[in-house]
Each structure stands twice: as structure tokens, then as C-alpha cells.
Amino acid sequence: MVEDKLVALRAGLGDLGRVVVAFSGGADSAFLAAVAHGALGAANVHSVTAVSPSLAGAERDDCALLAAEWGLRWSAVETDEMARAAYRINDVDRCYHCKAELMDVLLPIATAEGAQLVLGVNLDDIEPEVADHRPGQRAAAEAGASFPLVTAGFAKADVREASRHLGLRTWDKPAAACLASRVPYGTEVNVAVLSRVERAEAALRALGFAQVRVRHYGDTARVELELTELPRAIEQRERIVNGVRGAGYRYVTLDLEGFRSGNLNS
């Protein structure tokens, strides 16, 4: 029962006493921040958003809105994963180097506050078939971060159910992985590429598509939408093409398999 898991989560957070939450504004980290805030109080919970070119501006803005709505003690800090050559070359361990940068920035904050750094990782994220493609979790664990949702037994569906029960508007928020996840391994990650992806996805969201991915292949954008949205995408073909081309792409393709989270990992 999700109620029992909530009890376990609050108890686990109580044992930690003071926490710094890596707060991306997604369903998992938002849920963790909200529950920690309720269990420990604002003085003992610091929600911190890492800002870099891999975070869409709209996501950063939503973090600020959520913090204001929920009364969170919140701050934004800059990370510089782009300064790491191992990150820019974009091999299969890119997420490891990104998370290592995050740990290098957030751990000193947690240490200064006498707090434990916690991340919104859930059980689905650490299943063997998934964890093989999530080296970022390994970097966080090696740095000593804790995963309270895992300890309390929360899978992704549990997070959404509990969030809805608590009245959190993030309960059905679409997944929003970092912008670098749109770039195939072996293609260099740089600010220009991430900016182009961000602008293209923003154009699609402006047309009313909630769950979108623009996969970057040089001058070609491969657009992924929910399968149920494909008929509407065909109807709005010209507007989609114009919006994505306006972001800097020459060719626009629509993936008929639809949205698949993390499909560039396979």
C-alpha cells in the first residue's frame, strides 16, 4: 500500500534529520522535496536545483514556481559539466560524469549544513536492465548520496499515486530527462546543440504536445510524441516543421514508434 510506503519514507527522512534534496522539479524529486518539507520542516530541508545548459529554462522556472507554491527553502546553483571533456565526448558514461559534477557541487552544500544529500531515485531506476544504462546512479551512490524513495519501496507508479494523494500538481508531470539525453552517444555535446534541442521542444510544447523528445542528428531532428498524438501531429505537420526548423534544423522527421524514454541507450 502506498500509504505504508509514505509512512516508511517519512520515518526514513526523520532518521536523516537534515537533508539537501537534488531538486530537478520532476515528479520524483518534487515528491521527495514535498514529503521531506512536511516531515522535517523548512529549516531542515534545502531543495537545490542545478542549473546548466542541459536543463531547459522552462524546467528551471518551474522549480522556482514549485518552491514558491510549496514554501520550500530553495536555491539554484550552477554546475559546469560542460567543462569536463569526458562529458562532452558523450560516450555511454556521459551520465556518470554529469552526476559526478552534480555531486561535487551539492555535497559541499550538504556538508556545510550538516545534512545528508538525497536524490529522487526510485526502484524502477535501479532495476538491473535499467541501471546498466544509468551510470549517474552509480556516481551518486559512490559519492555517498542517499535514495530515500528506494529505501521506502517506491516505484515510479507509487510516486505518482502518492503525489496525487497529497495534491501535488507534479503527479502526472511528463518525464523530462536532461537535454543531453537527446544526443546520440558519440556525438559531441555542446551548448549550441542543447540550445537547438531546447528551442525545438519548446516549439512543440507551444503547439500543445506535452510529452516530446527531439532527438538530434546533425541537421535532422527526429521527433517523438505519444502514440495517441500522432494523428494530431500529421494534422499540424506544417506547424511542427516550421517550429522545429525555426530552432535550426533542416530536416524534420516523425518517429512512428512514438515516445520512448531513454531509447538512445539501446
Side-chain angles (χ1 to χ4, degrees):
M1 295 289 290
V2 73
E3 292 84 0
D4 296 331
K5 294 179 182 181
L6 265 172
V7 170
L9 177 59
R10 291 177 176 127
L13 290 166
D15 290 339
L16 294 176
R18 294 175 64 87
V19 297
V20 168
V21 181
F23 183 60
S24 69
D28 297 323
S29 70
F31 171 67
L32 179 58
V35 174
H37 176 78
L40 303 177
N44 294 314
V45 181
H46 186 182
S47 298
V48 182
T49 299
V51 178
S52 76
S54 67
L55 178 71
E59 291 299 317
R60 188 269 180 211
D61 292 343
D62 197 41
C63 286
L65 287 173
L66 287 170
E69 290 171 16
W70 298 347
L72 305 179
R73 182 163 65 96
W74 174 81
S75 63
V77 296
E78 292 188 1
T79 56
D80 193 13
E81 56 267 27
M82 206 68 72
R84 299 181 180 232
Y87 172 83
R88 296 194 308 274
I89 64 173
N90 192 24
D91 63 12
V92 295
D93 282 332
R94 181 198 67 235
C95 290
Y96 180 93
H97 304 296
C98 180
K99 195 71 74 176
E101 171 70 12
L102 179 68
M103 296 299 97
D104 284 351
V105 172
L106 296 192
L107 279 172
I109 297 173
T111 299
E113 298 190 12
Q116 172 65 40
L117 178 59
V118 296
L119 276 66
V121 176
N122 67 63
L123 284 174
D124 294 338
D125 296 325
I126 61 170
E127 290 182 353
E129 63 272 22
V130 174
D132 286 345
H133 301 302
R134 302 263 177 106
Q137 319 297 18
R138 175 164 51 91
E142 290 174 356
S146 294
F147 306 153
L149 299 182
V150 171
T151 303
F154 276 87
K156 186 71 173 188
D158 299 321
V159 169
R160 294 198 182 279
E161 181 183 348
S163 295
R164 181 167 56 177
H165 174 73
L166 295 175
L168 305 180
R169 66 171 172 84
T170 51
W171 76 270
D172 64 345
K173 185 174 182 179
C178 79
L179 295 172
S181 68
R182 280 64 153 170
V183 184
Y185 294 134
T187 300
E188 180 183 352
V189 172
N190 57 52
V191 174
V193 166
L194 299 181
S195 177
R196 188 189 299 183
V197 169
E198 179 179 5
R199 295 196 307 274
E201 292 191 352
L204 292 171
R205 290 194 180 92
L207 294 175
F209 297 101
Q211 184 69 81
V212 303
R213 291 289 187 273
V214 172
R215 308 296 184 183
H216 174 88
Y217 294 89
D219 286 339
T220 300
R222 177 162 61 81
V223 176
E224 294 179 13
L225 304 171
E226 294 285 7
L227 287 173
T228 56
E229 295 277 34
L230 294 186
R232 187 163 71 89
I234 298 302
E235 293 174 0
Q236 299 198 39
R237 180 185 64 84
E238 290 188 10
R239 298 179 70 186
I240 289 174
V241 169
N242 291 336
V244 176
R245 280 184 174 170
Y249 288 99
R250 184 175 180 184
Y251 305 106
V252 183
T253 66
L254 181 63
D255 192 324
L256 296 183
E257 291 188 82
F259 167 76
R260 288 98 69 211
S261 180
N263 78 4
L264 292 185
N265 290 329
S266 58

